Amino acid sequence: MTYFYLTLGCLLLVATSLLLRNATKVQRLLSLATFVLALICFITVYGSIAGVFVATASGLLIGLLTAFILGKPTINI
Protein backbone atom coordinates (compact mmCIF):
# COMPACT_ATOMS: atom_id res chain seq x y z
CA MET A 1 0.00 0.00 0.00
CA THR A 2 2.94 2.33 0.65
CA TYR A 3 4.16 1.87 -2.93
CA PHE A 4 0.68 2.75 -4.21
CA TYR A 5 0.49 6.00 -2.19
CA LEU A 6 4.00 7.06 -3.20
CA THR A 7 3.34 6.38 -6.88
CA LEU A 8 0.00 8.18 -6.74
CA GLY A 9 1.56 11.14 -4.93
CA CYS A 10 4.34 11.46 -7.51
CA LEU A 11 1.91 11.19 -10.41
CA LEU A 12 -0.27 13.88 -8.85
CA LEU A 13 2.77 16.13 -8.50
CA VAL A 14 3.57 15.65 -12.19
CA ALA A 15 -0.06 16.50 -13.02
CA THR A 16 0.24 19.61 -10.85
CA SER A 17 3.29 20.77 -12.79
CA LEU A 18 1.66 20.07 -16.14
CA LEU A 19 -1.48 21.99 -15.17
CA LEU A 20 0.57 25.06 -14.36
CA ARG A 21 2.05 25.26 -17.85
CA ASN A 22 -0.84 27.33 -19.28
CA ALA A 23 -1.87 28.86 -15.93
CA THR A 24 -5.49 29.78 -16.53
CA LYS A 25 -7.57 30.40 -13.41
CA VAL A 26 -9.30 27.02 -13.57
CA GLN A 27 -6.02 25.18 -14.14
CA ARG A 28 -4.39 26.98 -11.20
CA LEU A 29 -7.23 25.92 -8.89
CA LEU A 30 -7.13 22.37 -10.24
CA SER A 31 -3.35 22.34 -9.78
CA LEU A 32 -3.78 23.40 -6.16
CA ALA A 33 -6.35 20.64 -5.61
CA THR A 34 -4.06 17.99 -7.10
CA PHE A 35 -1.17 19.27 -4.96
CA VAL A 36 -3.34 18.90 -1.85
CA LEU A 37 -4.24 15.34 -2.91
CA ALA A 38 -0.55 14.57 -3.40
CA LEU A 39 0.13 16.07 0.02
CA ILE A 40 -2.50 13.77 1.52
CA CYS A 41 -0.86 10.76 -0.15
CA PHE A 42 2.53 11.69 1.28
CA ILE A 43 1.05 12.39 4.72
CA THR A 44 -0.50 8.92 4.84
CA VAL A 45 2.93 7.40 4.21
CA TYR A 46 5.27 9.66 6.19
CA GLY A 47 3.09 11.32 8.84
CA SER A 48 2.03 14.94 9.10
CA ILE A 49 5.31 16.82 9.55
CA ALA A 50 7.51 14.71 7.28
CA GLY A 51 4.74 14.41 4.67
CA VAL A 52 4.54 18.19 4.31
CA PHE A 53 8.31 18.50 3.88
CA VAL A 54 8.50 15.59 1.43
CA ALA A 55 5.55 16.81 -0.64
CA THR A 56 6.84 20.38 -0.82
CA ALA A 57 10.40 19.38 -1.71
CA SER A 58 9.34 16.78 -4.26
CA GLY A 59 6.79 19.18 -5.73
CA LEU A 60 9.49 21.78 -6.29
CA LEU A 61 11.83 19.18 -7.76
CA ILE A 62 9.20 17.74 -10.10
CA GLY A 63 8.19 21.26 -11.15
CA LEU A 64 11.80 22.07 -11.94
CA LEU A 65 12.26 18.85 -13.90
CA THR A 66 9.02 19.48 -15.80
CA ALA A 67 10.22 22.97 -16.69
CA PHE A 68 13.55 21.63 -17.93
CA ILE A 69 12.07 18.76 -19.92
CA LEU A 70 8.94 20.38 -21.35
CA GLY A 71 9.97 24.03 -21.28
CA LYS A 72 10.07 26.15 -24.40
CA PRO A 73 13.57 27.14 -25.47
CA THR A 74 14.17 30.86 -25.85
CA ILE A 75 16.66 32.35 -28.25
CA ASN A 76 18.15 35.67 -27.20
CA ILE A 77 19.82 37.58 -29.96
Side-chain angles (χ1 to χ4, degrees):
M1 202 64 179
T2 301
Y3 179 75
F4 172 74
Y5 283 127
L6 289 176
T7 304
L8 182 63
C10 288
L11 288 175
L12 286 171
L13 287 175
V14 169
T16 299
S17 297
L18 292 176
L19 282 171
L20 286 176
R21 285 180 56 84
N22 295 335
T24 63
K25 183 173 179 151
V26 174
Q27 286 177 332
R28 279 183 274 161
L29 291 174
L30 193 57
S31 174
L32 178 65
T34 56
F35 184 76
V36 169
L37 288 175
L39 184 66
I40 290 170
C41 289
F42 285 117
I43 285 175
T44 57
V45 173
Y46 294 113
S48 60
I49 296 173
V52 170
F53 285 123
V54 168
T56 305
S58 58
L60 291 172
L61 180 63
I62 288 177
L64 183 65
L65 289 175
T66 304
F68 278 140
I69 294 170
L70 298 175
K72 298 176 186 169
T74 58
I75 299 173
N76 294 330
I77 298 175

